[in-house]
Amino acid sequence: MFRKESDKILKFPKDFLWGTATSAHQIEGDNFNSDWWMFEKNKRIKHASLKSCNSYKLWRDDHKFISEMNNNAYRLSIEWAKIEPQEGKFDYDAMQHYIEILSDLKAKKIKIMLTLHHFTNPNWFLDKGGWLSFKSAKYFKRYVKYIVEHIGSLVDFWITINEPGVYVDMSYIKGIWPPQEKNSKKAFLVYINMARAHRAVYNMLHKKLSDPQVGFAMNVMSFASYHKHRLIELLYVHLADRFINHSFYDLTKKKHDFLGINYYFRVRLRKDEGSFKPVVEKVRDQERELSDMGWVIYPHGIFDVLMDLSDFKLPIYITENGIAAKDDERRQRFLVEHLKEIHHSIQAGVDVRGYFHWSLLDNFEWAHGFEQKFGLVEVNFKTFERKLKTSGKMYGEISRTNSIDERKLKSIT
Ligand code: BGC
């Protein structure tokens, strides 16, 4: 008899990495010397990160959840502004703090994926022009050199820069994140400098370590045209895909040992009536399933993106994927639906080696503050008490069994 998909158990490859992802500014708190902190303090950003999840102090509690979910990997970031609070002056206590965190993960046999830049910068760096400065790659490399000398042997995967495209868009085009510029020429320059920084750090890591795994985390989207018959809309899709999903890879050719991809949603592009401007479909009017952030949930999109990027013939890690949802049942469904698509892509021959759910904890969601809930673990932002959500328990089972069972598959059909 014909077996339906829902009758099967979806087994993932041996040694598949199951993890979660976080970033320092979003969970640690007290990021005093960073550009974000300064903008928050000067009320140029509406919400303040304050103690965030207080993870700088409570990281041991966070690690308990990683173990409770049977995860064998964790993606976290190191905070440049804490390591190098003043130009050229490194804070050994901060370094020691991260050494302790990473050593604890190592002792627990958790593979470590370390992000070196996740949106925030030291204040002094911004004063020097930030990523606009031609010297930015040199400054970044100097900081990474210090990191490698201290923790090089503890890290399994290096993510040089998280989502360069999103950083450029939010900080230099939309002008929402520090330094709140709206200037496409500057945006272009920042993008180029970030690619230079990635290349420099890639080379340095390969010089200093034996066989390091180095990549970056790229924000990728699934693009579709509003009308299949309109050539111009197909052209928009092609250009958006080339520019948003591929351009940073083009600028850093042959300087990645794996691809890190962050996938959240799909975008449909339509031609503006009366002009040649592409517009993004207004999904709110069309009763599609949206996350609490208003993003269009489209699990099949991750399959499309994976198939497309498999041309690089490199191992792929899903470095982020998650949903802002106060209703945790939606997160459970989201997880199973996306993992099912990832499993399909593996069946189709794509070399996906791991999945890092965004995020371990409810945390500081940048310009949205603490309202948006992405965590598998709930955090009370007054007491900092943490509690594993049902989605976290479910993820723990998937991770433990390295598979998705029939009951979970049926829950989404
Ligand atoms: C970022 C995270 C962010 C998440 C949800 C990603 O773009 O890397 O820092 O919290 O999306 O918005």
Side-chain angles (χ1 to χ4, degrees):
M1 205 183 86
F2 181 70
R3 272 165 73 87
K4 289 203 311 274
E5 187 77 57
S6 56
D7 295 333
K8 290 187 209 153
I9 289 183
L10 304 185
K11 263 267 168 230
F12 282 76
K14 192 171 163 281
D15 299 329
F16 193 79
L17 294 187
W18 294 102
T20 56
T22 56
S23 90
H25 188 76
Q26 291 178 274
I27 65 165
E28 288 181 345
D30 294 343
N31 198 5
F32 303 131
N33 296 303
S34 67
D35 52 355
W36 265 82
W37 190 271
M38 181 179 61
F39 275 65
E40 290 167 18
K41 214 176 73 191
N42 297 342
K43 306 253 179 301
R44 289 177 67 181
I45 301 250
K46 195 164 138 217
H47 302 278
S49 55
L50 309 168
K51 293 267 171 211
S52 296
C53 307
N54 207 9
S55 288
Y56 203 71
K57 231 178 160 172
L58 301 178
W59 59 268
R60 281 190 186 79
D61 292 357
D62 300 345
H63 289 193
K64 279 187 205 145
F65 290 103
I66 297 175
S67 301
E68 199 174 332
M69 287 192 288
N70 312 293
N71 288 176
N72 53 5
Y74 180 43
R75 175 178 171 220
L76 73 163
S77 81
I78 198 160
E79 186 58 54
W80 187 1
K82 285 182 180 164
I83 296 288
E84 193 183 356
Q86 286 170 41
E87 196 197 338
K89 299 218 165 69
F90 294 93
D91 181 337
Y92 186 69
D93 289 346
M95 193 65 254
Q96 190 54 42
H97 171 85
Y98 287 108
I99 294 177
E100 246 185 274
I101 294 184
L102 299 196
S103 305
D104 185 64
L105 292 168
K106 262 271 137 358
K108 295 188 162 93
K109 298 203 171 12
I110 311 259
K111 294 268 185 223
I112 298 168
M113 184 177 273
L114 189 73
T115 311
L116 298 163
H117 185 272
H118 197 122
F119 299 151
T120 48
N121 301 293
N123 259 325
W124 65 261
F125 176 76
L126 199 63
D127 287 346
K128 296 208 153 235
W131 290 99
L132 279 171
S133 160
F134 186 74
K135 288 191 178 158
S136 52
K138 196 175 118 200
Y139 297 136
F140 186 61
K141 193 173 148 192
R142 181 178 59 189
Y143 142 72
V144 180
K145 186 165 166 263
Y146 181 79
I147 304 284
V148 182
E149 278 159 9
H150 290 87
I151 52 169
S153 60
L154 294 170
V155 177
D156 298 286
F157 302 93
W158 300 88
I159 298 282
T160 55
I161 297 175
N162 179 67
E163 300 190 343
V166 170
Y167 176 74
V168 162
D169 184 41
M170 297 302 282
S171 299
Y172 287 89
I173 293 180
K174 295 207 175 80
I176 298 173
W177 293 357
Q180 297 181 331
E181 299 249 15
K182 289 184 185 176
N183 182 323
S184 47
K185 273 194 205 123
K186 287 186 180 173
F188 180 70
L189 201 58
V190 167
Y191 203 54
I192 298 290
N193 281 335
M194 284 188 143
R196 287 180 50 236
H198 170 83
R199 293 196 303 261
V201 165
Y202 179 94
N203 290 340
M204 196 242 288
L205 290 169
H206 274 268
K207 218 187 242 164
K208 291 198 172 289
L209 302 169
S210 90
D211 198 25
Q213 291 297 300
V214 188
F216 51 84
M218 193 60 202
N219 46 291
V220 293
M221 294 170 206
S222 164
F223 294 102
S225 65
Y226 195 83
H227 304 94
K228 286 272 180 263
H229 61 272
R230 280 208 181 166
L231 268 181
I232 180 116
E233 289 180 359
L234 295 174
L235 182 66
Y236 295 156
V237 168
H238 174 79
L239 293 176
D241 181 60
R242 280 259 32 107
F243 189 69
I244 294 173
N245 290 354
H246 285 265
S247 60
F248 208 72
Y249 291 122
D250 295 340
L251 291 171
T252 53
K253 261 195 192 117
K254 299 212 165 88
K255 301 278 177 213
H256 4 86
D257 304 309
F258 63 89
L259 304 186
I261 72 159
N262 296 358
Y263 173 82
Y264 285 91
F265 55 84
R266 168 162 91 157
V267 169
R268 290 179 82 202
L269 298 170
R270 184 163 57 74
K271 183 185 165 299
D272 195 10
E273 291 316 320
S275 87
F276 283 102
K277 251 181 49 205
V279 282
V280 172
E281 169 201 25
K282 283 202 185 63
V283 284
R284 280 183 201 284
D285 309 337
Q286 298 183 23
E287 296 180 3
R288 282 180 188 285
E289 195 181 353
L290 304 180
S291 76
D292 292 354
M293 297 273 278
W295 296 349
V296 186
I297 310 217
Y298 186 63
H300 187 69
I302 200 165
F303 175 85
D304 288 342
V305 164
L306 285 169
M307 293 307 288
D308 177 42
L309 294 175
S310 67
D311 285 354
F312 278 92
K313 306 257 180 292
L314 285 172
I316 301 182
Y317 294 89
I318 313 296
T319 37
E320 283 181 36
N321 171 238
I323 178 175
K326 288 196 184 65
D327 173 356
D328 190 54
E329 264 182 42
R330 300 186 65 205
R331 185 172 355 267
Q332 294 161 46
R333 205 170 57 243
F334 179 98
L335 249 167
V336 176
E337 283 172 342
H338 284 75
L339 288 173
K340 188 175 149 190
E341 295 294 335
I342 293 167
H343 187 270
H344 276 328
S345 75
I346 296 172
Q347 298 294 300
V350 186
D351 188 9
V352 185
R353 305 239 180 126
Y355 175 83
F356 293 80
H357 188 78
W358 185 271
S359 179
L360 174 63
L361 308 167
D362 287 339
N363 59 41
F364 179 69
E365 178 51 34
W366 306 113
H368 298 272
F370 291 101
E371 253 314 282
Q372 300 295 339
K373 309 291 182 201
F374 276 94
L376 295 168
V377 174
E378 183 187 325
V379 178
N380 176 325
F381 290 103
K382 287 200 182 87
T383 62
F384 301 115
E385 239 175 278
R386 286 123 156 92
K387 195 173 154 232
L388 193 65
K389 298 181 189 176
T390 311
S391 55
K393 290 184 187 146
M394 191 189 86
Y395 188 53
E397 216 179 296
I398 293 174
S399 170
R400 182 178 59 79
T401 57
N402 198 29
S403 64
I404 310 179
D405 64 25
E406 199 177 331
R407 188 175 47 83
K408 292 191 195 69
L409 289 169
K410 277 192 173 148
S411 72
I412 57 163
T413 47

